[in-house]
Amino acid sequence: MAGGVTAARRPRRHQRLGPAKGVAGVLAAASMLVPAELVLKGLSGGRKSHLPRLFHRSLSRALGIRILTHGVPARRNARRGDGRGGVLFVSNHVSWADIPVLGARIPAAFVAKSEVGEWGLVGWLATLARTVYVERSRRSSTGEQRDAIAERLAGGENIILFPEGTNSDGTGVLPFKSALFAVTDALPDILIQPVTIAYTRVNGMPVTRMMLPDLAWVGDTELMPHAVGFMALGRVRAEIRFHAPVRAADFADRKALARHCHTVIADGYRALMRG
């Protein structure tokens, strides 16, 4: 009995080696794909990213994340009258790991707070992937930021937006900030697809409330210590649910659009976490 308890409590070998394997995988992916991305960007004049999905897939695997998807990302179809430009994907936000997980399945650029661009290598990679930076503390720049996002969408580029404005603690989905939907004011026919992301299993076992702090990245928690702890967990299953796309023109105003997206995504989150 005692021996069994000791064995059960002893970290598995793949978990003990998780951080080292993760870092090695990240460095390997970066060393192969970043130079290729720089070359392709140079040939195209830096107007688009070419290999971000491949990089995000490699990064997710290196971190020990296995991705399960339900549904598919929306794609504009001009002949079907789906509007013009790219698709605005609206998702809940649980962890820094949302970036590689969503990036592995959605061909899109992210909207992030301006501080991310100053996070050393992370910021440099985010900029390389054409991340749209916003300064949420400066109300005076709201119009400029809205126009920058609208321009990218109108030009046919897909964008991923986290309308909670921050990371949740994983117990549910925080209220959406309707102001972040302002970009749709000028693009009423743009496709908007709600997306739910959830971390549902660790080493094959359902995620419990006690495990959420190891997965969710909240408050002033430092990135690197949390990332190391995340990689030490072992095999993590991330699930993505793509909901039916809508248009801003289908709603009375952006608040109604935000409420719809929140309801759909929050319901999806509860369903995924229940298994």
Side-chain angles (χ1 to χ4, degrees):
M1 179 71 71
V5 171
T6 301
R9 291 179 177 175
R10 185 182 304 129
R12 295 180 180 179
R13 185 170 183 272
H14 74 268
Q15 290 172 264
R16 296 198 305 271
L17 297 178
K21 291 172 63 178
V23 171
V26 171
L27 292 176
S31 65
M32 290 186 293
L33 296 176
V34 170
E37 174 69 17
L38 290 171
V39 170
L40 292 172
K41 267 186 170 297
L43 294 175
S44 65
R47 290 184 297 273
K48 61 180 293 187
S49 297
H50 301 267
L51 302 174
R53 288 183 70 189
L54 183 57
F55 178 76
H56 287 309
R57 288 175 185 173
S58 300
L59 182 56
S60 295
R61 285 195 294 269
L63 295 171
I65 302 172
R66 298 298 177 264
I67 306 170
L68 178 63
T69 58
H70 309 272
V72 296
R75 296 181 62 184
R76 182 183 65 85
N77 187 327
R79 289 179 300 177
R80 211 170 55 209
D82 286 346
R84 300 176 180 177
V87 177
L88 178 64
F89 295 93
V90 175
S91 174
N92 61 308
H93 198 12
V94 182
S95 172
W96 51 268
D98 298 349
I99 307 303
V101 171
L102 292 174
R105 294 292 182 267
I106 304 175
F110 288 90
V111 176
K113 59 185 180 181
S114 56
E115 293 92 321
V116 172
E118 302 171 0
W119 290 356
L121 179 60
V122 174
W124 184 79
L125 290 171
T127 301
L128 184 65
R130 288 178 53 80
T131 294
V132 183
Y133 296 115
V134 297
E135 296 187 37
R136 292 171 181 155
S137 60
R138 287 182 54 199
R139 291 183 178 273
S140 60
S141 63
T142 300
E144 296 176 6
Q145 295 163 4
R146 177 199 61 212
D147 293 344
I149 298 172
E151 182 179 353
R152 298 273 284 271
L153 285 166
E157 190 169 355
N158 298 332
I159 298 291
I160 299 173
L161 176 69
F162 297 120
E164 290 168 289
T166 187
N167 306 67
S168 75
D169 62 3
T171 59
V173 179
L174 298 174
F176 286 177
K177 299 181 184 299
S178 61
L180 295 178
F181 287 83
V183 63
T184 64
D185 293 347
L187 300 169
D189 291 325
I190 203 78
L191 272 184
I192 303 158
Q193 185 170 35
V195 179
T196 300
I197 183 171
Y199 299 88
T200 58
R201 289 183 176 267
V202 174
N203 298 317
M205 300 299 293
V207 168
T208 64
R209 184 178 289 264
M210 291 181 61
M211 297 171 64
L212 287 175
D214 295 322
L215 296 164
W217 183 46
V218 297
D220 297 325
T221 306
E222 293 187 17
L223 175 60
M224 288 312 298
H226 190 275
V228 171
F230 186 105
M231 289 185 284
L233 292 173
R235 298 183 302 275
V236 176
R237 178 198 283 181
E239 296 193 50
I240 303 173
R241 175 159 291 168
F242 293 99
H243 303 282
V246 297
R247 296 183 308 156
D250 298 331
F251 299 87
D253 51 38
R254 76 171 78 132
K255 290 186 177 180
L257 171 61
R259 284 195 300 269
H260 168 79
C261 291
H262 182 272
T263 298
V264 169
I265 292 171
D267 288 348
Y269 188 76
R270 285 190 290 269
L272 289 176
M273 293 304 289
R274 289 193 196 110

